[in-house]
Amino acid sequence: MSSRWFQKRWARGAPGPSAPPAAASPGRGAAQQPAASPYRRPKFLRGAGVGESPAGRRPVRCAPRDRPLQWETGYAEVINAEKSEFNEDQATCCQIAIRRRGTGEEEDQDWLILCSNQYLTGYYWALFDGHGGPDAAIIASNYLHYCIKQKLEEVVEAITEAQPPMHLSGCCICPSDPQFVEEKQIRQEDVVTAALESAFQECDEAIGQEMKATSQSGGCTALAALYLQGKLYVANAGDSRAILVQRQSILPLSSEFTPETERQRIQQLAFLYPKLLADEFTRFEFPRRLKGDDVGQKVLYRDYSMTGWGYKTVEKADLKYPLIHGHGKQTRLLGTLAVSRGLGDHQLKVIDTDVQVKPFLSCIPQVKVFDFAVHNIKEDDVVIMATDGLWDTLSNEELAQMVRSFLDENRTDPYRFSELARCLVHTARGTKNGHQWTLDGSSPASYDDISVFVIPLHNRDKDG
Amino acid sequence: MSSRWFQKRWARGAPGPSAPPAAASPGRGAAQQPAASPYRRPKFLRGAGVGESPAGRRPVRCAPRDRPLQWETGYAEVINAEKSEFNEDQATCCQIAIRRRGTGEEEDQDWLILCSNQYLTGYYWALFDGHGGPDAAIIASNYLHYCIKQKLEEVVEAITEAQPPMHLSGCCICPSDPQFVEEKQIRQEDVVTAALESAFQECDEAIGQEMKATSQSGGCTALAALYLQGKLYVANAGDSRAILVQRQSILPLSSEFTPETERQRIQQLAFLYPKLLADEFTRFEFPRRLKGDDVGQKVLYRDYSMTGWGYKTVEKADLKYPLIHGHGKQTRLLGTLAVSRGLGDHQLKVIDTDVQVKPFLSCIPQVKVFDFAVHNIKEDDVVIMATDGLWDTLSNEELAQMVRSFLDENRTDPYRFSELARCLVHTARGTKNGHQWTLDGSSPASYDDISVFVIPLHNRDKDG
């Protein structure tokens, strides 16, 4: 994502409260107190030759072959083309051990141990695409799975029952309680969904606190997949994407949340609370920025309640900068952000104004549930999760075609999912011709950070 | 829809400003000033033996055979089973002549004349399902098509162009204007959609004014279909439904808007403006009404930001009546209304409180566009539009099966679309066994008002 509107404030040093042990933080500023999370690449890349990237080169990194990821997941990433000093994407891939906690039992800080029979085991993959610096994505990649674990443990009694009980304690105050729950069609997966929604909120709050304490700024998108009890939950807040590629079909597992897709929600908020725009912006959308000559004319516009385009007579106030402006990938919220959901950005103001961006952002993910019990999963069926750097260059159909032919042609390669991830990133990054990165020597390649997981669903019973 | 929560205030007499010439108003109260719209059945039913319904009988009414509706549309209706004195459904079926108005030309009040070449011709069908009395539905059935005509005439220059111009006047202030419009992918149909959205709003305001002036109360849902320039626009606000039935497939042309389907929008409004609940209601949803014994327990709940179900510790305030309560067809907004979109209800308060319902209602329809150019329409393809009385009894699939076999078996009957409408209404109404209306002598039939249009799409080029 573009970071051009952000002021970069670096205040670095030892790890913060939710950060991992201090790692190398190349290129970061002098230490201050309190301390911020150090820059780093995903933990599972350690030992994969991740070091300084020679200026102007964009090597594609994969997980090391001697430490395979769960389910033989493939992963690859590449840094942007000199857009920012750091790769602002981050990734996490781990198991989540969910414990049935006794009443009053103290929270176990050392929870990231391998699961045993007393735990429910979840498998977790997540991508975070930072903007305005890598910090929010680093905190989120360290912390979101912890929030998810915590929220699931709070309701573990409910998600181990076929039908969640009305009362979490299991007591039954009204004899018809199971019937009420049945009538509302409340299922196990609804409780997991709410736990994920709540975990994103908690992670967002924690990021806000930590970044305030350490004077950091910025935000990130979050796309998280959780496999639990035979279902894959895909929670998305931002413009990353997950799709299931099968032999004959493609199934989108997420939708994108951008100022374009969430225009009506954002405009309505500005209608209800006009003060949020501080007389600096107009909430109306126009095909282009209006000029003095447009005043008095009837021009195409959209307001919050409209899905169609109407005509309005232009007033002077309509010449202000539009709340949502641009088209396609260039669409910006308050001239600042290209996404409308995500974590962080608590302190973000529109440059040279007092207009805050955070009120218009949502940290709540949309959660889609994929139930393996009702799908016939074949050997080469994979979920592709990737940040927008990939999807800007490849359509779902182009990607699916590449996935199918790559897996077909590399049937015996034990590292084929990792190699597929590398191939996808390599394709989207393109090759350097002079000063330009291009696909096939002509059309422009992705200049953004790109991160890709390839999750082979057929391997889901091999681990754990 | 249920009218049990409404106070009925009858203030009748001569027609109001937007009402048709006074017709028989059986069973209505004494005249007062200003005057309200008289009760009536749809205009096109006149002469079809529509009179008083003998108590306890529910005759199915069809349009008279000697005055066929446009496109040979079939129509049938039946009154509810003693739920209310009047049939609260209303229907309209007419052409809409859209004129290119000269600048400064006075509005022509006598617009409902047959179209000529100087007009664009639209074909219009609409159903209105009233609650709290028949009044709002009567005004809407008299007035909505007038609003639509007016809104379309305001933008007629734009909808006769392949691509709507940036400026309605056709002037071009910025040479790249056509390119901006192109980039935003703004099409003719977007302008028609906005006109429909705006027409619903204007009709709602007019209903509010007229009902206030005449001390009437109540509201109605609105489902309107407009055929214009090779596209069918289906605008829906409420729980009526339109589907396209083809030989091999069913295509829903509308979605329903109820407290259940719009829970998050409604809860969010209560979160943003808690005063709207006046300490009488809780915005949280629970599987059942909570009791004193639940206080302190963790119970299943949903708030505005949640699609899943979480657990919350019950506080005393949670014992208040829920903003949205009940399940399925019994779900009510503020214990009062079964729909969340529609026209009217401006004065509606929750019984024995000062809580107003209108702020939670939306009068904006969802507009779906069906483009005939990209569908292969066969002879027996029909759009079925019906109020909820039909859909409570028949699923889309059951209905489609009936439609297909009826049309197959009655291929030579010139009145088959009308007879099909009659057959559908008759099936959903059932037969009377003792005091009960049943289907096949066992399961309960619909006790509600039922109105059905059967629109044969293949006939669209026969008129006009």
Side-chain angles (χ1 to χ4, degrees):
Chain A
M1 285 185 47
S2 169
S3 57
R4 65 199 155 99
W5 288 88
F6 289 85
Q7 290 173 286
K8 292 199 177 187
R9 291 174 293 185
W10 302 119
R12 305 289 147 197
S18 68
S25 33
R28 308 305 285 268
Q32 286 184 9
Q33 289 304 329
S37 312
Y39 177 72
R40 60 145 177 87
R41 297 312 308 146
K43 291 179 186 178
F44 56 78
L45 283 189
R46 280 179 204 157
V50 185
E52 307 259 348
S53 168
R57 284 196 55 231
R58 299 172 71 194
V60 178
R61 313 282 191 192
C62 291
R65 290 191 165 188
D66 57 344
R67 282 189 289 115
L69 301 180
Q70 60 199 13
W71 298 16
E72 297 174 21
T73 296
Y75 174 82
E77 64 168 47
V78 75
I79 194 172
N80 62 78
E82 298 169 30
K83 190 185 74 176
S84 60
E85 186 181 1
F86 300 105
N87 184 340
E88 293 181 338
D89 284 1
Q90 292 292 342
T92 308
C93 174
C94 65
Q95 290 183 28
I96 296 183
I98 298 146
R99 194 167 57 147
R100 190 186 294 270
R101 224 183 294 170
T103 333
E105 198 176 325
E106 282 305 300
E107 199 173 298
D108 186 357
Q109 290 299 323
D110 186 25
W111 56 268
L112 256 179
I113 56 175
L114 285 175
C115 62
S116 73
N117 287 337
Q118 70 181 111
Y119 296 92
L120 277 181
T121 301
Y123 294 87
Y124 171 85
W125 301 259
L127 294 175
F128 307 91
D129 182 350
H131 50 252
D135 307 289
I138 291 172
I139 303 176
S141 67
N142 287 332
Y143 194 57
L144 179 60
H145 53 292
Y146 176 72
C147 299
I148 292 173
K149 171 193 165 70
Q150 198 177 40
K151 293 296 175 187
L152 287 171
E153 287 185 346
E154 283 172 10
V155 295
V156 69
E157 291 87 346
I159 59 175
T160 46
E161 300 288 326
Q163 181 184 291
M166 172 81 184
H167 294 84
L168 195 55
S169 61
C171 78
C172 196
I173 284 170
C174 170
S176 305
D177 277 350
Q179 193 188 321
F180 285 114
V181 174
E182 174 92 35
E183 278 175 355
K184 287 269 181 184
Q185 299 180 302
I186 305 171
R187 298 150 301 176
Q188 221 177 46
E189 68 187 62
D190 297 312
V191 178
V192 176
T193 295
L196 288 165
E197 291 169 339
S198 167
F200 271 61
Q201 278 181 287
E202 181 156 312
C203 187
D204 182 57
E205 283 165 28
I207 288 172
Q209 285 165 16
E210 177 158 339
M211 300 206 28
K212 189 176 182 189
T214 56
S215 299
Q216 290 167 289
S217 64
C220 67
T221 68
L223 170 65
L226 174 71
Y227 176 77
L228 187 68
Q229 297 176 296
K231 296 191 177 84
L232 187 73
Y233 298 84
V234 180
N236 188 39
D239 62 355
S240 294
R241 185 186 297 171
I243 69 171
L244 167 63
V245 178
Q246 296 186 288
R247 170 66 48 192
Q248 301 293 343
S249 62
I250 297 170
L251 183 67
L253 298 176
S254 67
S255 309
E256 285 94 74
F257 297 96
T258 67
E260 212 173 17
T261 66
E262 294 210 277
R263 172 185 60 85
Q264 289 186 275
R265 174 181 73 72
I266 292 164
Q267 285 183 316
Q268 184 170 32
L269 198 65
F271 167 73
L272 294 173
Y273 296 105
K275 282 189 181 171
L276 292 175
L277 302 183
D279 282 331
E280 302 268 1
F281 290 86
T282 168
R283 76 164 189 274
F284 299 116
E285 185 191 13
F286 303 100
R288 62 160 164 80
R289 182 86 193 267
L290 299 185
K291 309 169 180 184
D293 288 353
D294 292 308
V295 173
Q297 302 270 337
K298 282 187 175 178
V299 306
L300 282 167
Y301 87 113
R302 284 200 292 193
D303 197 1
Y304 72 95
S305 66
M306 302 161 68
T307 60
W309 286 84
Y311 286 89
K312 95 180 279 291
T313 304
V314 177
E315 297 162 34
K316 252 188 148 177
D318 299 328
L319 304 186
K320 290 174 188 165
Y321 200 86
L323 171 59
I324 295 169
H325 190 57
H327 82 275
K329 282 297 288 182
Q330 273 66 54
T331 308
R332 291 287 178 279
L333 167 64
L334 292 162
T336 303
L337 267 192
V339 289
S340 57
R341 295 204 194 184
L343 310 175
D345 292 316
H346 294 75
Q347 309 298 322
L348 179 60
K349 287 185 178 178
V350 178
I351 201 158
D352 293 333
T353 75
D354 258 339
V355 178
Q356 297 210 306
V357 180
K358 188 69 174 170
F360 294 98
L361 301 178
S362 168
C363 65
I364 310 288
Q366 184 191 52
V367 181
K368 295 198 182 181
V369 186
F370 178 84
D371 187 349
F372 285 87
V374 296
H375 287 85
N376 185 11
I377 294 298
K378 299 278 173 53
E379 197 184 341
D380 281 357
D381 293 351
V382 292
V383 167
I384 308 290
M385 288 171 67
T387 50
D388 64 333
L390 186 80
W391 307 107
D392 292 348
T393 310
L394 293 175
S395 70
N396 287 3
E397 290 68 28
E398 286 167 337
L399 177 121
Q401 208 43 56
M402 289 177 59
V403 166
R404 289 172 191 137
S405 59
F406 186 95
L407 293 179
D408 256 358
E409 290 161 15
N410 296 275
R411 199 155 290 284
T412 57
D413 181 351
Y415 305 107
R416 62 198 190 121
F417 300 112
S418 181
E419 288 306 307
L420 171 55
R422 183 200 300 276
C423 165
L424 294 174
V425 171
H426 194 274
T427 302
R429 185 207 64 176
T431 50
K432 201 167 184 181
N433 289 325
H435 289 289
Q436 297 202 310
W437 292 89
T438 57
L439 307 170
D440 311 324
S442 55
S443 53
S446 173
Y447 279 61
D448 204 353
D449 305 309
I450 310 173
S451 308
V452 174
F453 277 123
V454 175
I455 308 173
L457 299 185
H458 206 250
N459 291 347
R460 68 189 181 282
D461 299 320
K462 290 189 183 171
D463 293 88
Chain B
M1 287 187 48
S2 169
S3 57
R4 66 200 154 98
W5 288 87
F6 289 86
Q7 288 173 289
K8 292 199 177 185
R9 290 175 292 185
W10 303 118
R12 304 289 146 193
S18 67
S25 33
R28 309 304 285 272
Q32 288 184 7
Q33 289 304 327
S37 314
Y39 177 72
R40 60 140 177 91
R41 297 313 308 147
K43 292 178 184 177
F44 56 77
L45 282 189
R46 280 179 205 156
V50 185
E52 307 258 348
S53 167
R57 283 195 57 231
R58 300 172 70 193
V60 177
R61 314 282 191 192
C62 289
R65 291 191 165 188
D66 57 345
R67 282 190 286 116
L69 301 180
Q70 60 199 14
W71 298 14
E72 297 174 23
T73 296
Y75 174 82
E77 63 167 49
V78 73
I79 195 171
N80 63 79
E82 298 170 27
K83 191 185 71 172
S84 61
E85 187 181 359
F86 301 105
N87 183 340
E88 293 181 338
D89 284 1
Q90 292 292 341
T92 308
C93 175
C94 64
Q95 290 182 29
I96 296 183
I98 299 147
R99 195 167 57 147
R100 190 185 295 270
R101 225 183 293 172
T103 331
E105 198 177 325
E106 282 305 299
E107 197 172 301
D108 185 359
Q109 290 299 323
D110 187 24
W111 55 268
L112 255 179
I113 55 173
L114 284 175
C115 62
S116 74
N117 287 339
Q118 71 180 109
Y119 296 92
L120 276 181
T121 301
Y123 294 86
Y124 172 84
W125 301 258
L127 294 175
F128 306 92
D129 182 350
H131 51 251
D135 306 292
I138 291 171
I139 303 174
S141 67
N142 287 332
Y143 194 58
L144 180 60
H145 52 291
Y146 177 73
C147 299
I148 291 173
K149 172 192 165 70
Q150 199 176 41
K151 295 293 175 188
L152 287 171
E153 287 184 346
E154 284 172 10
V155 295
V156 70
E157 290 87 347
I159 59 176
T160 47
E161 299 288 326
Q163 181 184 291
M166 172 79 185
H167 294 84
L168 195 54
S169 61
C171 78
C172 195
I173 284 172
C174 170
S176 305
D177 278 351
Q179 192 188 322
F180 285 114
V181 174
E182 174 92 35
E183 278 174 353
K184 287 270 182 186
Q185 298 179 304
I186 305 171
R187 297 151 302 176
Q188 219 178 49
E189 68 187 62
D190 297 312
V191 177
V192 176
T193 295
L196 287 167
E197 292 169 339
S198 167
F200 271 63
Q201 278 181 288
E202 179 156 313
C203 186
D204 182 57
E205 281 165 29
I207 290 174
Q209 284 164 16
E210 177 157 340
M211 298 201 37
K212 189 175 180 188
T214 55
S215 300
Q216 290 167 289
S217 63
C220 67
T221 68
L223 170 65
L226 174 72
Y227 176 78
L228 187 68
Q229 297 175 293
K231 296 193 177 81
L232 186 73
Y233 298 83
V234 180
N236 188 39
D239 62 354
S240 295
R241 185 186 299 171
I243 69 172
L244 167 63
V245 178
Q246 295 184 291
R247 170 67 48 193
Q248 302 293 343
S249 63
I250 298 169
L251 182 67
L253 297 176
S254 67
S255 307
E256 285 94 74
F257 297 97
T258 66
E260 214 173 16
T261 65
E262 295 209 277
R263 172 185 61 83
Q264 289 186 276
R265 173 180 73 74
I266 292 164
Q267 285 183 316
Q268 185 171 30
L269 196 65
F271 166 74
L272 294 173
Y273 296 105
K275 280 188 181 170
L276 292 174
L277 301 183
D279 281 331
E280 302 268 0
F281 290 86
T282 169
R283 77 165 189 272
F284 299 116
E285 185 190 14
F286 303 100
R288 63 161 163 79
R289 181 87 194 267
L290 299 184
K291 309 169 181 183
D293 288 351
D294 291 307
V295 173
Q297 302 270 339
K298 283 188 174 174
V299 307
L300 283 166
Y301 87 113
R302 283 200 291 194
D303 198 1
Y304 72 94
S305 66
M306 302 161 68
T307 59
W309 286 83
Y311 286 89
K312 95 180 280 291
T313 304
V314 178
E315 296 160 34
K316 252 187 144 177
D318 299 328
L319 303 186
K320 290 173 188 166
Y321 200 86
L323 172 58
I324 295 169
H325 190 58
H327 81 274
K329 283 295 288 180
Q330 274 66 53
T331 308
R332 291 286 178 280
L333 167 63
L334 293 162
T336 302
L337 268 191
V339 289
S340 57
R341 296 203 193 185
L343 310 174
D345 291 318
H346 294 74
Q347 309 297 322
L348 178 61
K349 287 185 178 178
V350 177
I351 200 159
D352 294 332
T353 75
D354 258 339
V355 177
Q356 296 210 308
V357 179
K358 187 70 174 171
F360 294 98
L361 301 178
S362 168
C363 64
I364 310 289
Q366 185 191 52
V367 181
K368 296 197 182 181
V369 187
F370 179 84
D371 187 350
F372 285 87
V374 295
H375 287 85
N376 185 10
I377 294 298
K378 299 279 174 53
E379 198 183 340
D380 282 356
D381 293 350
V382 291
V383 167
I384 307 290
M385 289 171 65
T387 50
D388 64 332
L390 185 81
W391 306 107
D392 292 348
T393 309
L394 292 175
S395 70
N396 287 3
E397 290 69 28
E398 286 166 338
L399 178 120
Q401 208 43 57
M402 290 176 59
V403 166
R404 288 172 192 139
S405 59
F406 186 96
L407 293 178
D408 256 359
E409 290 160 14
N410 296 276
R411 198 156 291 283
T412 57
D413 181 351
Y415 305 107
R416 62 196 190 123
F417 300 113
S418 181
E419 287 306 306
L420 171 55
R422 184 200 299 277
C423 165
L424 294 174
V425 171
H426 194 275
T427 302
R429 184 207 65 177
T431 50
K432 200 168 185 180
N433 288 324
H435 289 287
Q436 298 201 311
W437 293 90
T438 58
L439 308 169
D440 312 324
S442 55
S443 53
S446 173
Y447 278 62
D448 204 352
D449 305 311
I450 310 171
S451 308
V452 175
F453 276 123
V454 174
I455 308 173
L457 299 185
H458 206 250
N459 291 347
R460 68 188 180 282
D461 299 320
K462 290 190 182 169
D463 294 89

